[in-house]
Amino acid sequence: PIADLPDDFIRGMDASAVLSLENSGVTYYNYEGKEQDVFETLAQSGVNYIRLRVWNDPYDADGNGYGGGNNDVATAVALGKRATAYGMKVCVDFHYSDFWADPKRQHAPKAWEGMSASEKSEALYDFTKESLAELLDAGVDVGMVQVGNEINNGMCGETDASNVRKLLASGSKAVRDAATASGKDILVAVHYTNIDDMKKLDTLLTGL
């Protein structure tokens, strides 16, 4: 751990792949060479925030995962409970896709294909609120929710900035509603790469 950092300084990392790795036979050890839950080791190392990505349905019609770790809500619950047990908060990273979402690909999840932007906004609200309820009911200490992933050029199959703002507003409202229902203070994060391009970011978020 780095000495003298304030308690509210976020020292986070993404641990979304832990369950997939463990299911593949990976074993984690502490600094003394003894087998130990990796989340305990991370907490002992000063990490206080764990990010967990969530895909809507990362499986094909035969139930096979697409190969990125199968990070659905159930996986986030399992990992989030372990992070919480060692005193770490969780940032839930909703991709709103069935696989990776990034500046080059923002595919809507299978269940939302063919929907209008307004219909996606409603589905996104429901998915976000229901997923957070499941996480919170399981005892996961959700401290932050990332609404979308690397949304520079679109989100959930939408590329028009006004539609992206509609999706962001819907997701943000779902987070705040879930926070109110649970009595928790949950932050909303917008994930944008190349943050130095403030003009484009301002246009995306404000329409100006």
PDB file of all heavy atoms in Angstrom, residues 95-118:
ATOM      1  N   HIS A  95     -21.831  -2.466 -19.893  1.00  0.00           N
ATOM      2  CA  HIS A  95     -21.514  -2.241 -21.298  1.00  0.00           C
ATOM      3  C   HIS A  95     -22.770  -2.056 -22.144  1.00  0.00           C
ATOM      4  O   HIS A  95     -22.703  -1.496 -23.227  1.00  0.00           O
ATOM      5  CB  HIS A  95     -20.713  -3.429 -21.852  1.00  0.00           C
ATOM      6  CG  HIS A  95     -19.278  -3.437 -21.440  1.00  0.00           C
ATOM      7  ND1 HIS A  95     -18.246  -3.622 -22.343  1.00  0.00           N
ATOM      8  CD2 HIS A  95     -18.681  -3.283 -20.230  1.00  0.00           C
ATOM      9  CE1 HIS A  95     -17.085  -3.593 -21.706  1.00  0.00           C
ATOM     10  NE2 HIS A  95     -17.327  -3.392 -20.424  1.00  0.00           N
ATOM     11  N   TYR A  96     -23.900  -2.549 -21.666  1.00  0.00           N
ATOM     12  CA  TYR A  96     -25.158  -2.550 -22.434  1.00  0.00           C
ATOM     13  C   TYR A  96     -24.948  -3.195 -23.796  1.00  0.00           C
ATOM     14  O   TYR A  96     -25.351  -2.682 -24.835  1.00  0.00           O
ATOM     15  CB  TYR A  96     -25.714  -1.136 -22.561  1.00  0.00           C
ATOM     16  CG  TYR A  96     -25.984  -0.496 -21.227  1.00  0.00           C
ATOM     17  CD1 TYR A  96     -25.339   0.672 -20.839  1.00  0.00           C
ATOM     18  CD2 TYR A  96     -26.878  -1.080 -20.334  1.00  0.00           C
ATOM     19  CE1 TYR A  96     -25.575   1.244 -19.590  1.00  0.00           C
ATOM     20  CE2 TYR A  96     -27.121  -0.516 -19.080  1.00  0.00           C
ATOM     21  CZ  TYR A  96     -26.469   0.645 -18.719  1.00  0.00           C
ATOM     22  OH  TYR A  96     -26.702   1.208 -17.488  1.00  0.00           O
ATOM     23  N   SER A  97     -24.319  -4.350 -23.746  1.00  0.00           N
ATOM     24  CA  SER A  97     -24.017  -5.150 -24.926  1.00  0.00           C
ATOM     25  C   SER A  97     -23.826  -6.576 -24.431  1.00  0.00           C
ATOM     26  O   SER A  97     -23.743  -6.814 -23.221  1.00  0.00           O
ATOM     27  CB  SER A  97     -22.753  -4.624 -25.618  1.00  0.00           C
ATOM     28  OG  SER A  97     -22.459  -5.380 -26.782  1.00  0.00           O
ATOM     29  N   ASP A  98     -23.741  -7.515 -25.350  1.00  0.00           N
ATOM     30  CA  ASP A  98     -23.490  -8.902 -24.960  1.00  0.00           C
ATOM     31  C   ASP A  98     -22.008  -9.240 -24.973  1.00  0.00           C
ATOM     32  O   ASP A  98     -21.624 -10.357 -24.619  1.00  0.00           O
ATOM     33  CB  ASP A  98     -24.236  -9.857 -25.896  1.00  0.00           C
ATOM     34  CG  ASP A  98     -25.744  -9.798 -25.702  1.00  0.00           C
ATOM     35  OD1 ASP A  98     -26.189  -9.386 -24.614  1.00  0.00           O
ATOM     36  OD2 ASP A  98     -26.476 -10.142 -26.652  1.00  0.00           O
ATOM     37  N   PHE A  99     -21.178  -8.271 -25.391  1.00  0.00           N
ATOM     38  CA  PHE A  99     -19.729  -8.480 -25.424  1.00  0.00           C
ATOM     39  C   PHE A  99     -19.074  -7.118 -25.330  1.00  0.00           C
ATOM     40  O   PHE A  99     -19.706  -6.128 -24.966  1.00  0.00           O
ATOM     41  CB  PHE A  99     -19.339  -9.251 -26.694  1.00  0.00           C
ATOM     42  CG  PHE A  99     -18.020  -9.964 -26.602  1.00  0.00           C
ATOM     43  CD1 PHE A  99     -17.755 -10.821 -25.544  1.00  0.00           C
ATOM     44  CD2 PHE A  99     -17.048  -9.774 -27.569  1.00  0.00           C
ATOM     45  CE1 PHE A  99     -16.535 -11.494 -25.456  1.00  0.00           C
ATOM     46  CE2 PHE A  99     -15.835 -10.442 -27.497  1.00  0.00           C
ATOM     47  CZ  PHE A  99     -15.573 -11.307 -26.448  1.00  0.00           C
ATOM     48  N   TRP A 100     -17.812  -7.034 -25.680  1.00  0.00           N
ATOM     49  CA  TRP A 100     -17.062  -5.792 -25.522  1.00  0.00           C
ATOM     50  C   TRP A 100     -17.743  -4.618 -26.219  1.00  0.00           C
ATOM     51  O   TRP A 100     -18.203  -4.723 -27.348  1.00  0.00           O
ATOM     52  CB  TRP A 100     -15.659  -5.935 -26.107  1.00  0.00           C
ATOM     53  CG  TRP A 100     -14.808  -6.967 -25.449  1.00  0.00           C
ATOM     54  CD1 TRP A 100     -14.426  -8.167 -25.982  1.00  0.00           C
ATOM     55  CD2 TRP A 100     -14.240  -6.914 -24.141  1.00  0.00           C
ATOM     56  NE1 TRP A 100     -13.656  -8.859 -25.088  1.00  0.00           N
ATOM     57  CE2 TRP A 100     -13.526  -8.112 -23.945  1.00  0.00           C
ATOM     58  CE3 TRP A 100     -14.272  -5.966 -23.115  1.00  0.00           C
ATOM     59  CZ2 TRP A 100     -12.845  -8.385 -22.767  1.00  0.00           C
ATOM     60  CZ3 TRP A 100     -13.587  -6.242 -21.945  1.00  0.00           C
ATOM     61  CH2 TRP A 100     -12.882  -7.441 -21.790  1.00  0.00           C
ATOM     62  N   ALA A 101     -17.782  -3.499 -25.522  1.00  0.00           N
ATOM     63  CA  ALA A 101     -18.218  -2.229 -26.110  1.00  0.00           C
ATOM     64  C   ALA A 101     -17.052  -1.256 -26.000  1.00  0.00           C
ATOM     65  O   ALA A 101     -16.483  -1.082 -24.924  1.00  0.00           O
ATOM     66  CB  ALA A 101     -19.434  -1.690 -25.364  1.00  0.00           C
ATOM     67  N   ASP A 102     -16.688  -0.643 -27.111  1.00  0.00           N
ATOM     68  CA  ASP A 102     -15.542   0.266 -27.139  1.00  0.00           C
ATOM     69  C   ASP A 102     -15.732   1.262 -28.284  1.00  0.00           C
ATOM     70  O   ASP A 102     -16.765   1.224 -28.967  1.00  0.00           O
ATOM     71  CB  ASP A 102     -14.235  -0.522 -27.294  1.00  0.00           C
ATOM     72  CG  ASP A 102     -14.218  -1.452 -28.497  1.00  0.00           C
ATOM     73  OD1 ASP A 102     -14.602  -0.994 -29.594  1.00  0.00           O
ATOM     74  OD2 ASP A 102     -13.821  -2.618 -28.363  1.00  0.00           O
ATOM     75  N   PRO A 103     -14.790   2.175 -28.513  1.00  0.00           N
ATOM     76  CA  PRO A 103     -14.997   3.190 -29.559  1.00  0.00           C
ATOM     77  C   PRO A 103     -15.263   2.623 -30.954  1.00  0.00           C
ATOM     78  O   PRO A 103     -15.888   3.283 -31.783  1.00  0.00           O
ATOM     79  CB  PRO A 103     -13.694   3.988 -29.529  1.00  0.00           C
ATOM     80  CG  PRO A 103     -13.237   3.888 -28.115  1.00  0.00           C
ATOM     81  CD  PRO A 103     -13.568   2.477 -27.719  1.00  0.00           C
ATOM     82  N   LYS A 104     -14.820   1.384 -31.228  1.00  0.00           N
ATOM     83  CA  LYS A 104     -15.015   0.812 -32.555  1.00  0.00           C
ATOM     84  C   LYS A 104     -16.261  -0.062 -32.661  1.00  0.00           C
ATOM     85  O   LYS A 104     -16.690  -0.387 -33.768  1.00  0.00           O
ATOM     86  CB  LYS A 104     -13.780  -0.017 -32.944  1.00  0.00           C
ATOM     87  CG  LYS A 104     -12.536   0.823 -33.189  1.00  0.00           C
ATOM     88  CD  LYS A 104     -11.386  -0.026 -33.685  1.00  0.00           C
ATOM     89  CE  LYS A 104     -10.162   0.828 -33.994  1.00  0.00           C
ATOM     90  NZ  LYS A 104      -9.020   0.007 -34.471  1.00  0.00           N
ATOM     91  N   ARG A 105     -16.837  -0.456 -31.530  1.00  0.00           N
ATOM     92  CA  ARG A 105     -18.027  -1.309 -31.600  1.00  0.00           C
ATOM     93  C   ARG A 105     -18.922  -1.031 -30.395  1.00  0.00           C
ATOM     94  O   ARG A 105     -18.491  -1.092 -29.253  1.00  0.00           O
ATOM     95  CB  ARG A 105     -17.646  -2.790 -31.658  1.00  0.00           C
ATOM     96  CG  ARG A 105     -16.723  -3.241 -30.539  1.00  0.00           C
ATOM     97  CD  ARG A 105     -16.268  -4.667 -30.709  1.00  0.00           C
ATOM     98  NE  ARG A 105     -15.206  -4.990 -29.757  1.00  0.00           N
ATOM     99  CZ  ARG A 105     -14.513  -6.109 -29.756  1.00  0.00           C
ATOM    100  NH1 ARG A 105     -14.774  -7.042 -30.647  1.00  0.00           N
ATOM    101  NH2 ARG A 105     -13.562  -6.312 -28.860  1.00  0.00           N
ATOM    102  N   GLN A 106     -20.150  -0.732 -30.715  1.00  0.00           N
ATOM    103  CA  GLN A 106     -21.161  -0.472 -29.691  1.00  0.00           C
ATOM    104  C   GLN A 106     -22.445  -1.189 -30.121  1.00  0.00           C
ATOM    105  O   GLN A 106     -23.406  -0.578 -30.558  1.00  0.00           O
ATOM    106  CB  GLN A 106     -21.387   1.037 -29.550  1.00  0.00           C
ATOM    107  CG  GLN A 106     -20.288   1.776 -28.825  1.00  0.00           C
ATOM    108  CD  GLN A 106     -20.290   1.539 -27.325  1.00  0.00           C
ATOM    109  OE1 GLN A 106     -21.306   1.145 -26.743  1.00  0.00           O
ATOM    110  NE2 GLN A 106     -19.156   1.782 -26.685  1.00  0.00           N
ATOM    111  N   HIS A 107     -22.407  -2.515 -30.022  1.00  0.00           N
ATOM    112  CA  HIS A 107     -23.542  -3.320 -30.469  1.00  0.00           C
ATOM    113  C   HIS A 107     -24.582  -3.451 -29.363  1.00  0.00           C
ATOM    114  O   HIS A 107     -24.242  -3.723 -28.206  1.00  0.00           O
ATOM    115  CB  HIS A 107     -23.074  -4.717 -30.888  1.00  0.00           C
ATOM    116  CG  HIS A 107     -22.022  -4.709 -31.951  1.00  0.00           C
ATOM    117  ND1 HIS A 107     -22.220  -4.104 -33.176  1.00  0.00           N
ATOM    118  CD2 HIS A 107     -20.765  -5.210 -31.975  1.00  0.00           C
ATOM    119  CE1 HIS A 107     -21.128  -4.247 -33.917  1.00  0.00           C
ATOM    120  NE2 HIS A 107     -20.232  -4.908 -33.205  1.00  0.00           N
ATOM    121  N   ALA A 108     -25.839  -3.268 -29.714  1.00  0.00           N
ATOM    122  CA  ALA A 108     -26.914  -3.496 -28.756  1.00  0.00           C
ATOM    123  C   ALA A 108     -26.956  -4.981 -28.401  1.00  0.00           C
ATOM    124  O   ALA A 108     -26.615  -5.836 -29.220  1.00  0.00           O
ATOM    125  CB  ALA A 108     -28.249  -3.065 -29.346  1.00  0.00           C
ATOM    126  N   PRO A 109     -27.362  -5.315 -27.195  1.00  0.00           N
ATOM    127  CA  PRO A 109     -27.520  -6.740 -26.856  1.00  0.00           C
ATOM    128  C   PRO A 109     -28.583  -7.397 -27.729  1.00  0.00           C
ATOM    129  O   PRO A 109     -29.464  -6.721 -28.267  1.00  0.00           O
ATOM    130  CB  PRO A 109     -27.940  -6.709 -25.378  1.00  0.00           C
ATOM    131  CG  PRO A 109     -28.443  -5.335 -25.138  1.00  0.00           C
ATOM    132  CD  PRO A 109     -27.698  -4.442 -26.071  1.00  0.00           C
ATOM    133  N   LYS A 110     -28.481  -8.696 -27.868  1.00  0.00           N
ATOM    134  CA  LYS A 110     -29.393  -9.436 -28.752  1.00  0.00           C
ATOM    135  C   LYS A 110     -30.859  -9.102 -28.460  1.00  0.00           C
ATOM    136  O   LYS A 110     -31.661  -8.925 -29.375  1.00  0.00           O
ATOM    137  CB  LYS A 110     -29.164 -10.944 -28.577  1.00  0.00           C
ATOM    138  CG  LYS A 110     -27.809 -11.444 -28.990  1.00  0.00           C
ATOM    139  CD  LYS A 110     -27.692 -12.962 -28.847  1.00  0.00           C
ATOM    140  CE  LYS A 110     -27.690 -13.427 -27.404  1.00  0.00           C
ATOM    141  NZ  LYS A 110     -26.474 -13.025 -26.655  1.00  0.00           N
ATOM    142  N   ALA A 111     -31.191  -9.038 -27.188  1.00  0.00           N
ATOM    143  CA  ALA A 111     -32.590  -8.839 -26.802  1.00  0.00           C
ATOM    144  C   ALA A 111     -33.114  -7.464 -27.191  1.00  0.00           C
ATOM    145  O   ALA A 111     -34.327  -7.256 -27.227  1.00  0.00           O
ATOM    146  CB  ALA A 111     -32.731  -9.033 -25.294  1.00  0.00           C
ATOM    147  N   TRP A 112     -32.221  -6.521 -27.484  1.00  0.00           N
ATOM    148  CA  TRP A 112     -32.651  -5.160 -27.810  1.00  0.00           C
ATOM    149  C   TRP A 112     -32.505  -4.822 -29.289  1.00  0.00           C
ATOM    150  O   TRP A 112     -32.777  -3.694 -29.693  1.00  0.00           O
ATOM    151  CB  TRP A 112     -31.858  -4.134 -27.000  1.00  0.00           C
ATOM    152  CG  TRP A 112     -31.968  -4.305 -25.512  1.00  0.00           C
ATOM    153  CD1 TRP A 112     -32.750  -5.197 -24.833  1.00  0.00           C
ATOM    154  CD2 TRP A 112     -31.251  -3.565 -24.513  1.00  0.00           C
ATOM    155  NE1 TRP A 112     -32.566  -5.067 -23.479  1.00  0.00           N
ATOM    156  CE2 TRP A 112     -31.667  -4.076 -23.251  1.00  0.00           C
ATOM    157  CE3 TRP A 112     -30.317  -2.530 -24.568  1.00  0.00           C
ATOM    158  CZ2 TRP A 112     -31.141  -3.564 -22.055  1.00  0.00           C
ATOM    159  CZ3 TRP A 112     -29.808  -2.029 -23.378  1.00  0.00           C
ATOM    160  CH2 TRP A 112     -30.235  -2.543 -22.132  1.00  0.00           C
ATOM    161  N   GLU A 113     -32.062  -5.771 -30.095  1.00  0.00           N
ATOM    162  CA  GLU A 113     -31.881  -5.513 -31.525  1.00  0.00           C
ATOM    163  C   GLU A 113     -33.219  -5.167 -32.166  1.00  0.00           C
ATOM    164  O   GLU A 113     -34.242  -5.793 -31.890  1.00  0.00           O
ATOM    165  CB  GLU A 113     -31.258  -6.725 -32.204  1.00  0.00           C
ATOM    166  CG  GLU A 113     -29.783  -6.930 -31.841  1.00  0.00           C
ATOM    167  CD  GLU A 113     -29.209  -8.181 -32.471  1.00  0.00           C
ATOM    168  OE1 GLU A 113     -29.964  -8.897 -33.156  1.00  0.00           O
ATOM    169  OE2 GLU A 113     -28.003  -8.442 -32.280  1.00  0.00           O
ATOM    170  N   GLY A 114     -33.200  -4.144 -33.016  1.00  0.00           N
ATOM    171  CA  GLY A 114     -34.408  -3.719 -33.698  1.00  0.00           C
ATOM    172  C   GLY A 114     -35.225  -2.717 -32.918  1.00  0.00           C
ATOM    173  O   GLY A 114     -36.218  -2.190 -33.437  1.00  0.00           O
ATOM    174  N   MET A 115     -34.843  -2.435 -31.696  1.00  0.00           N
ATOM    175  CA  MET A 115     -35.574  -1.454 -30.899  1.00  0.00           C
ATOM    176  C   MET A 115     -35.221  -0.037 -31.326  1.00  0.00           C
ATOM    177  O   MET A 115     -34.110   0.229 -31.794  1.00  0.00           O
ATOM    178  CB  MET A 115     -35.228  -1.601 -29.410  1.00  0.00           C
ATOM    179  CG  MET A 115     -35.810  -2.796 -28.715  1.00  0.00           C
ATOM    180  SD  MET A 115     -35.434  -2.737 -26.925  1.00  0.00           S
ATOM    181  CE  MET A 115     -36.289  -4.213 -26.372  1.00  0.00           C
ATOM    182  N   SER A 116     -36.146   0.873 -31.150  1.00  0.00           N
ATOM    183  CA  SER A 116     -35.867   2.291 -31.349  1.00  0.00           C
ATOM    184  C   SER A 116     -35.044   2.795 -30.166  1.00  0.00           C
ATOM    185  O   SER A 116     -34.917   2.103 -29.144  1.00  0.00           O
ATOM    186  CB  SER A 116     -37.170   3.078 -31.439  1.00  0.00           C
ATOM    187  OG  SER A 116     -37.850   3.052 -30.191  1.00  0.00           O
ATOM    188  N   ALA A 117     -34.510   4.009 -30.299  1.00  0.00           N
ATOM    189  CA  ALA A 117     -33.733   4.579 -29.206  1.00  0.00           C
ATOM    190  C   ALA A 117     -34.578   4.724 -27.942  1.00  0.00           C
ATOM    191  O   ALA A 117     -34.101   4.480 -26.824  1.00  0.00           O
ATOM    192  CB  ALA A 117     -33.156   5.933 -29.618  1.00  0.00           C
ATOM    193  N   SER A 118     -35.837   5.098 -28.114  1.00  0.00           N
ATOM    194  CA  SER A 118     -36.726   5.247 -26.957  1.00  0.00           C
ATOM    195  C   SER A 118     -36.996   3.903 -26.290  1.00  0.00           C
ATOM    196  O   SER A 118     -37.011   3.794 -25.052  1.00  0.00           O
ATOM    197  CB  SER A 118     -38.047   5.886 -27.382  1.00  0.00           C
ATOM    198  OG  SER A 118     -37.843   7.213 -27.816  1.00  0.00           O
TER     199      SER A 118
END
